[in-house]
């Protein structure tokens, strides 16, 4: 993954449970975000439950986390801050989605600034006094009948959008053919399909007769979809012969 530079700061304002802080750290590291700031965590700091939930590598995020008594102090060095909330619309501020906030973050970075994303306590979220200290509001568009997101989910969604430019365009393929294996050509696939069809026909598989043509077509279509190697084809020919030998 390409590095996001400078990376945005994730500020957890008055977080209540250590487990949620640890889960947020994991979500951050998934997308290369490593700077966490904590504002007045309810159960103090450090918190062993946060470390347990961070599970291994994400512990580095917690090791570097800085604790501040107030949100105002936690925004040291920040030039643009997003308050993540579904509320606070009565305050006159621009409202962003995670995608548009990521674009605004990149704009801020290009101008030499530093951005932060502020997340509120689990039970009630950010208060208006917190939101008033941010430049903008970040709201995740969700099902209005069930708008609730937990802290780690909100951090994860934000981190994904922030790092999209550094992620591969699509997941890496998992079905690559092993080196040295030769793909079966269409004639070999055709002969395997013929062999399978003839053996099934002899066994009375295509019944009733009125459905036989459609069944054969579906089988032929299945064979053509499979990424078979020559070794695969030879093995399947042998299996068909052995199954019908008696």
């Amino acid at each position: 993954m390409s590095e996001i530079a400078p990376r945005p700061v994730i500020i957890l304002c008055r977080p209540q449970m250590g487990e949620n802080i640890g889960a947020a750290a994991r979500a951050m590291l998934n997308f290369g975000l490593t700077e966490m700031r904590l504002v007045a965590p309810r159960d103090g700091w450090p918190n062993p439950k946060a470390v347990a939930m961070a599970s291994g590598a994400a512990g580095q995020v917690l090791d570097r986390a800085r604790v501040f008594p107030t949100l105002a102090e936690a925004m040291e060095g920040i030039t643009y801050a997003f308050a993540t909330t579904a509320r606070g619309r009565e305050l006159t501020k621009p409202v962003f989605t995670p995608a548009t906030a990521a674009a605004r973050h990149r704009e801020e970075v290009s101008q030499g600034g530093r951005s932060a994303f502020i997340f509120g306590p689990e039970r009630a979220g950010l208060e208006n006094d917190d939101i008033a200290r941010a430049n903008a509001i970040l709201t995740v568009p969700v099902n209005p009948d069930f708008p609730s997101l937990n802290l780690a989910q909100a951090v994860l969604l934000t981190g994904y959008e922030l790092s999209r430019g550094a992620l591969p365009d699509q997941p890496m393929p998992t079905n690559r053919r092993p080196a040295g294996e030769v793909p079966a050509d269409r004639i070999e696939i055709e002969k395997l399909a013929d062999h399978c069809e003839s053996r099934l026909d002899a066994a009375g598989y295509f019944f009733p007769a009125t459905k036989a043509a459609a069944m054969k077509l579906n089988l032929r279509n299945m064979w053509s979809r499979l990424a078979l190697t020559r070794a695969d084809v030879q093995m399947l020919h042998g299996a068909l012969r052995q199954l019908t030998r008696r």
Side-chain angles (χ1 to χ4, degrees):
M1 180 187 299
S2 311
E3 187 166 322
I4 306 167
R7 298 173 177 178
V9 175
I10 301 299
I11 300 177
L12 306 187
C13 195
R14 300 183 300 280
Q16 296 169 319
M17 297 178 63
E19 294 90 339
N20 290 334
I21 299 172
R26 293 180 65 171
M28 287 173 60
L29 196 59
N30 281 152
F31 297 105
L33 305 176
T34 57
E35 186 169 350
M36 173 187 284
R37 299 183 185 181
L38 302 172
V39 176
R42 184 191 66 182
D43 296 335
W45 194 257
N47 188 311
K49 292 182 178 179
V51 175
M53 181 60 74
S55 183
Q60 64 183 279
V61 176
L62 301 180
D63 292 340
R64 300 171 186 169
R66 298 169 63 192
V67 182
F68 297 84
T70 67
L71 177 58
E73 291 169 282
M75 287 201 284
E76 171 192 342
I78 301 302
T79 59
Y80 200 94
F82 300 86
T84 306
T85 179
R87 302 185 299 117
R89 299 297 184 93
E90 63 271 17
L91 298 175
T92 304
K93 291 182 183 294
V95 178
F96 293 86
T97 65
T100 57
R104 180 64 185 83
H105 155 71
R106 288 189 286 271
E107 179 185 340
E108 191 69 17
V109 169
S110 72
Q111 296 173 358
R114 188 89 193 276
S115 64
F117 290 80
I118 308 167
F119 298 84
E122 297 91 319
R123 181 169 297 178
L126 293 171
E127 297 177 358
N128 282 345
D129 284 349
D130 304 317
I131 298 167
R133 287 178 165 78
N135 300 81
I137 289 172
L138 171 63
T139 295
V140 179
V142 294
N143 177 6
D145 294 329
F146 189 68
S148 176
L149 287 174
N150 67 37
L151 178 59
Q153 287 173 327
V155 172
L156 188 76
L157 283 169
T158 304
Y160 171 73
E161 290 294 347
L162 286 166
S163 64
R164 284 187 70 181
L167 293 173
D169 291 335
Q170 58 186 5
M172 294 296 291
T174 57
N175 60 342
R176 288 181 173 176
R177 185 177 294 112
E181 291 197 4
V182 180
D185 64 29
R186 303 319 303 170
I187 295 298
E188 290 167 326
I189 299 292
E190 190 74 15
K191 289 181 178 179
L192 176 61
D194 289 341
H195 186 184
C196 180
E197 186 177 303
S198 67
R199 299 288 182 169
L200 290 173
D201 204 4
Y205 174 75
F206 300 111
F207 180 86
T210 54
K211 295 184 178 180
M215 294 169 73
K216 290 178 181 180
L217 180 64
N218 287 337
L219 278 170
R220 187 76 53 163
N221 187 49
M222 179 197 74
W223 289 119
S224 69
R225 290 200 311 267
L226 299 178
L228 298 173
T229 65
R230 285 182 177 172
D232 294 332
V233 169
Q234 292 168 1
M235 180 187 68
L236 289 167
H237 276 300
L240 288 168
R241 286 192 292 267
Q242 188 65 26
L243 284 170
T244 57
R245 179 163 291 180
R246 294 183 183 179

